[in-house]
């Protein structure tokens, strides 16, 4: 039987059910690379790049999503904004996942103390990295995380006490490690085997760059990169762990869902805004030109 906190973690509940979870990403980029809209992650979520709890609420009210990733690595999101975004997402019934800038214990602690249901760590290269991260996410005796935040428990329900949070958080928070370098690919089976690691997330663009097969033409990938992604997926499955991948469109996300990935991103906020405004402007321009031609 899941604990009350596990039951409150929508992402974990969805993963344990065996279905693909979809999400979004909240971030902030000055100008998204032209290929960004061709990326996806297998879980109902959005990539959040623009700061602001109101934006978090807007994304979290999107139907068919399970989680929102608040990106503090590449996103323009400060520590105080991250706390507000986590609270807003959790209040809407979705799981807030925080991508930290690096696998530093204090960064992980800040994300979990804000009440994140999951923490995502970039640039993991070795099993030793994975063990250090896992230790930082767990309370003793399983790890080294300190107890003290008055804000974390409420993101799992209004009646969760600090004592209950201490007892259940180790099992109720999702630890996601990004596999995006040649070194990580070489050690992926050892990384996957580390206790306390729940999900291996493929970062296809950085992985492609690292192994000498960058993604340069939209969604097109070299066979070697496809093989690397398949290797990561297989290593996670062999270790009884889940797999995730970053995507930039629902179509690409569906493709990885069909391959058995468990957590997939369908869009990020900047790309969504750019796409919607672009389509609206194009529709308006076409109508204006048509009216002009008719008037002539």
């Amino acid at each position: 039987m899941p604990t009350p906190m596990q039951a409150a973690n929508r992402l974990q509940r969805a993963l344990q059910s065996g279905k693909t979870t979809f999400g979004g990403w909240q971030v902030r980029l000055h100008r998204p690379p032209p290929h960004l809209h061709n990326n996806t992650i297998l879980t109902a979520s959005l990539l959040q790049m623009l700061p602001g709890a109101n934006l978090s609420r807007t994304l979290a009210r999107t139907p068919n999503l399970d989680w929102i990733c608040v990106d503090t690595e590449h996103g323009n999101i400060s520590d105080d904004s991250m706390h507000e975004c986590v609270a807003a997402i959790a209040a809407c019934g979705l799981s807030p996942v925080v991508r930290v800038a690096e696998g530093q214990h204090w960064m992980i602690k800040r994300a979990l103390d804000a009440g994140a249901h999951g923490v995502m760590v970039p640039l993991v290269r070795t099993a030793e990295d994975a063990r250090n991260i896992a230790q930082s996410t767990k309370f003793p005796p399983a790890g080294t995380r300190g107890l003290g935040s008055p804000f974390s428990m409420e993101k799992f329900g209004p009646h969760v006490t600090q004592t209950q949070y201490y007892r259940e958080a180790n099992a109720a928070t999702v630890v996601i490690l990004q596999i995006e370098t040649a070194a990580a690919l070489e050690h992926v089976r050892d990384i996957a085997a580390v206790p306390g690691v729940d999900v291996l997330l493929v970062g296809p663009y950085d992985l492609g760059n690292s192994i000498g097969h960058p993604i340069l033409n939209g969604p097109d990938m070299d066979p070697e990169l496809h093989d690397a992604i398949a290797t990561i997926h297989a290593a996670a499955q062999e270790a009884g762990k889940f797999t995730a991948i970053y995507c930039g469109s629902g179509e690409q996300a569906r493709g990885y869902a069909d391959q058995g990935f468990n957590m997939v991103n369908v869009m990020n906020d900047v790309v969504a805004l750019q796409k919607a405004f672009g389509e609206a402007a194009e529709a308006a321009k076409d109508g204006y030109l048509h009216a002009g031609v008719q008037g002539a």
Side-chain angles (χ1 to χ4, degrees):
M1 284 290 293
T3 67
M5 281 184 58
Q6 286 176 316
N9 187 329
R10 180 166 173 166
L11 169 59
Q12 187 177 70
R13 197 168 68 243
L15 289 171
Q16 295 295 338
S17 75
K19 79 178 185 75
T20 297
T21 69
F22 296 97
W25 216 275
Q26 182 174 346
V27 295
R28 168 70 165 88
L29 294 177
H30 295 294
R31 182 177 180 274
H35 62 255
L36 197 57
H37 56 79
N38 294 312
N39 257 5
T40 34
I41 291 186
L42 185 52
T43 21
S45 72
L46 293 172
L47 173 54
Q48 181 172 340
M49 303 178 86
L50 298 169
N54 284 333
L55 178 58
S56 299
R57 275 185 283 273
T58 301
L59 298 180
R61 288 170 179 150
T62 304
N64 302 315
L65 295 184
D66 299 307
W67 52 271
I68 303 293
C69 176
V70 179
D71 188 353
T72 68
E73 182 192 14
H74 294 304
N76 182 20
I77 298 176
S78 64
D79 189 76
D80 57 345
S81 292
M82 178 269 289
H83 276 255
E84 294 173 357
C85 293
V86 165
I89 293 163
C92 292
L94 268 63
S95 286
V97 175
V98 175
R99 176 158 77 168
V100 297
E102 193 180 359
Q104 297 291 327
H105 70 92
W106 66 270
M107 295 182 185
I108 294 168
K109 178 169 64 176
R110 292 293 290 167
L112 293 177
D113 281 357
H117 290 190
V119 61
M120 185 185 297
V121 182
L123 295 172
V124 178
R125 294 179 173 84
T126 66
E128 182 179 3
D129 290 344
R131 282 190 291 270
N132 289 337
I133 291 164
Q135 285 273 307
S136 297
T137 66
K138 308 297 182 188
F139 291 121
T144 58
R145 182 185 172 193
L147 177 68
S149 172
F151 308 114
S152 50
M153 61 285 299
E154 64 189 14
K155 312 313 186 300
F156 290 84
H159 305 297
V160 177
T161 66
Q162 191 171 60
T163 299
Q164 184 179 5
Y165 183 85
Y166 172 74
R167 290 173 176 167
E168 298 181 12
N170 285 0
T173 50
V174 180
V175 179
I176 306 161
L177 304 186
Q178 293 182 217
I179 307 298
E180 52 188 346
T181 67
L185 181 62
E186 180 182 354
H187 299 108
V188 66
R189 283 180 169 78
D190 292 334
I191 293 170
V194 172
V197 173
D198 300 301
V199 182
L200 300 186
L201 185 146
V202 179
Y205 289 92
D206 285 329
L207 180 62
N209 293 342
S210 184
I211 66 174
H213 294 278
I215 301 173
L216 300 174
N217 299 308
D220 296 335
M221 300 182 190
D222 291 345
E224 291 83 355
L225 181 53
H226 281 294
D227 291 344
I229 293 171
T231 295
I232 296 165
H233 183 47
Q237 289 187 314
E238 290 166 9
K241 307 297 175 68
F242 300 106
T243 46
I245 187 164
Y246 179 79
C247 303
S249 72
E251 293 77 14
Q252 189 182 17
R254 182 72 264 162
Y256 282 108
D258 290 342
Q259 293 178 37
F261 280 71
N262 312 104
M263 183 178 180
V264 179
N265 180 67
V266 301
M267 183 63 71
N268 73 53
D269 51 5
V270 170
V271 172
L273 285 169
Q274 188 178 51
K275 183 174 186 293
F277 272 91
E279 289 175 352
E282 187 65 27
K285 177 183 176 183
D286 288 346
Y288 172 76
L289 292 175
H290 180 70
V293 170
Q294 294 294 336

